[in-house]
Amino acid sequence: MDNLMRKLPIGIQTFEGIRKENYLYVDKTALIWRMANLGKPYFLSRPRRFGKSLLISTFDAYFQGKKELFNGLAIEQLETKWEQYPVLHLDLNAKKYETAADLIAMLNQYLEKWEAIYGDEKKDRSPEERFSYVIEQAFLKTGKNVVVLVDEYDKPLLQAITRPKLFEDYRQTLKAFYGVLKSADAYLRFVFLTGVTKFSQVSVFSDLNQLNDISLDYSYATLCGITQEELESTFKPEIEIFGRKNHQTPEEVVTAMKRNYDGYHFHPDGSGVFNPFSVLNAFSKLELGSYWFQTGTPTFLVELLQKSEYDLRTLLNGIEAPASSFVEYRMDANNPIPLIYQSGYLTIKDYDREFQNYRLDFPNDEVRYGFINFLVPFYTPMKNNDQGFYIGKFVQELRTGDYESFLTRLEAFFADIPYELNDQTERHYQVIFYLVFKLMGQFTEAEVRSARGRADAVVKTPKYVYVFEFKLNGTAEEAIKQINEKGYLIPYQKDHREIVKIGVEFSAETRNINRWLADTK
């Protein structure tokens, strides 16, 4: 049976290729028909490798009237006309943008292809003039309104985000180019732009004010990604094969998949979705792994965090924010959260209707621990492969009750911070504590808090519950006293495990643990 695994479309981004080559397809065509027939200009923001290119390709096939590709899918029961329209499909994802000329070259590549079909009388003009002319001529020569599909509209901007001059060059070019879509409205049947980030300065979101941003729409929350229902129905054979290989029941497989790859919400009331790239790779390789995270490192996001001096502890504990603060990114704003959210490292977890605040947090374990691990070398002197920061050693020591070795290791970790980093703020050192305890959470129950009225950190192992209180301007004795007097142990009084109270005194002068006390009473 294991040799009968079906073809999984890993890296296959064309709808026609998937259908003709008999790859597995999660049917989204009912939503596609709805979009095509209930509206005209759309924008959708989704993280990388979430199926945006496949979605654009599916619209391409639909508007070219390729009915045969949709046999057996939901749209077959909805569409009756299957008309063919001229389609202008622009994909900006394929090039590495390093100079202003790179973007012009990519636009020229597509314009020349379209001009060969519809006329090149404006070939010596600017890209936006040529684009406008092609749209008009496509309408006049076919008698059909034109479909414009733009995949990864923001790829050049994202690649230039840390280079202000180049970013401005790209912004000006794209502002003029996308601005054509407003003046050409009379010739257009359907417009759909996708990308990772909604850049507020690009005119497609100001001048083109009729564009319908469906990124947070309830009706389209599952347009990209895989719902649990789709996972269990479409991938039933794969779930069984994965379970046999890993000695798990189908239910256990789904639970493990949910923990690692589910949890993305694009509307507070919408169904959650799994990351499709990780799901497909896990079923193909028959083991869990950080497949999505490893395909793109968030270096520029971490640099933005550091540049903005954003309090990392807030990010690691979940963020409350109005939609206006995370759905658009402004280059002049000192706020990295919109890019972190739109890039897929945070997602909607809850919504306070009274105050209209969203709660953002990591969607799942793949992203949570991948991101935290990635942060370590940016906030500490350690490298990812440095054996001095093997988090398993910290966990093993607490599991065996050897908290003395745990604290000694933590002390040595801080001692390794070079002298030139010793002028870091107190908050920087608090962040390092956060990183250590948050990383332990992938192996054991570990919580680290910044709110008053709770212990600074709690770690639960099979035999022990550790309650930590850190004093940055106080003594270890005061830390133990605070644990007792503030009732930090109350939630664990009925727990069968041994409770260990640990007060840690941190020296502002030496920037290290000065001493600690433990109490098992």
Side-chain angles (χ1 to χ4, degrees), residues 145-312:
N145 289 76
V146 179
V147 172
V148 176
L149 305 172
V150 183
D151 190 10
E152 304 291 1
Y153 92 97
D154 58 342
K155 180 68 177 292
L157 298 170
L158 283 173
Q159 291 199 346
I161 201 166
T162 58
R163 302 167 63 185
K165 175 61 170 65
L166 184 60
F167 182 93
E168 180 59 20
D169 287 341
Y170 288 162
R171 188 188 74 83
Q172 292 288 353
T173 299
L174 292 176
K175 177 179 180 180
F177 192 81
Y178 295 137
V180 168
L181 296 173
K182 182 174 184 178
S183 58
D185 182 68
Y187 304 121
L188 298 171
R189 161 66 178 85
F190 185 81
V191 174
F192 188 31
L193 287 81
T194 72
V196 170
T197 305
K198 185 176 180 180
F199 283 99
S200 61
Q201 304 100 319
V202 181
S203 68
V204 75
F205 304 116
S206 53
D207 297 343
L208 190 61
N209 51 23
Q210 74 267 36
L211 194 70
N212 182 10
D213 182 358
I214 60 171
S215 303
L216 292 179
D217 278 19
Y218 174 80
S219 298
Y220 301 111
T222 62
L223 185 59
C224 291
I226 300 171
T227 67
Q228 183 171 340
E229 181 181 356
E230 290 167 339
L231 181 82
E232 293 177 347
S233 59
T234 306
F235 296 93
K236 186 176 181 179
E238 284 72 25
I239 290 173
E240 293 176 352
I241 294 171
F242 188 98
R244 283 198 295 273
K245 188 267 182 183
N246 292 282
H247 310 290
Q248 294 175 312
T249 66
E251 293 75 19
E252 289 172 333
V253 172
V254 172
T255 298
M257 288 278 182
K258 281 177 64 65
R259 184 175 62 251
N260 284 276
Y261 308 133
D262 191 14
Y264 293 90
H265 288 84
F266 300 108
H267 187 279
D269 297 326
S271 297
V273 292
F274 290 72
N275 183 315
F277 185 78
S278 288
V279 166
L280 291 173
N281 274 276
F283 282 140
S284 175
K285 303 179 189 303
L286 296 178
E287 61 185 16
L288 301 176
S290 297
Y291 302 110
W292 177 82
F293 192 91
Q294 291 172 356
T295 61
T297 55
T299 303
F300 78 96
L301 295 178
V302 178
E303 291 173 351
L304 285 175
L305 277 170
Q306 292 183 305
K307 182 180 179 181
S308 66
E309 297 185 352
Y310 192 88
D311 190 344
L312 189 62

Side-chain angles (χ1 to χ4, degrees), residues 77-142:
Q77 306 301 317
L78 300 170
E79 184 56 71
T80 57
K81 296 181 180 179
W82 291 103
E83 295 183 78
Q84 184 175 358
Y85 298 88
V87 176
L88 305 181
H89 182 172
L90 173 63
D91 182 2
L92 294 182
N93 194 43
K95 192 173 184 67
K96 188 172 184 180
Y97 300 93
E98 296 184 335
T99 69
D102 289 335
L103 175 57
I104 299 298
M106 178 58 83
L107 295 179
N108 282 339
Q109 176 183 322
Y110 281 94
L111 288 166
E112 289 168 4
K113 182 174 68 173
W114 300 333
E115 288 168 339
I117 302 171
Y118 302 114
D120 64 356
E121 287 80 0
K122 304 284 187 180
K123 65 181 180 180
D124 296 325
R125 302 288 185 89
S126 65
E128 61 270 20
E129 291 178 278
R130 294 164 66 190
F131 187 35
S132 178
Y133 182 74
V134 165
I135 291 174
E136 181 181 357
Q137 290 300 303
F139 169 75
L140 294 174
K141 290 188 176 183
T142 65

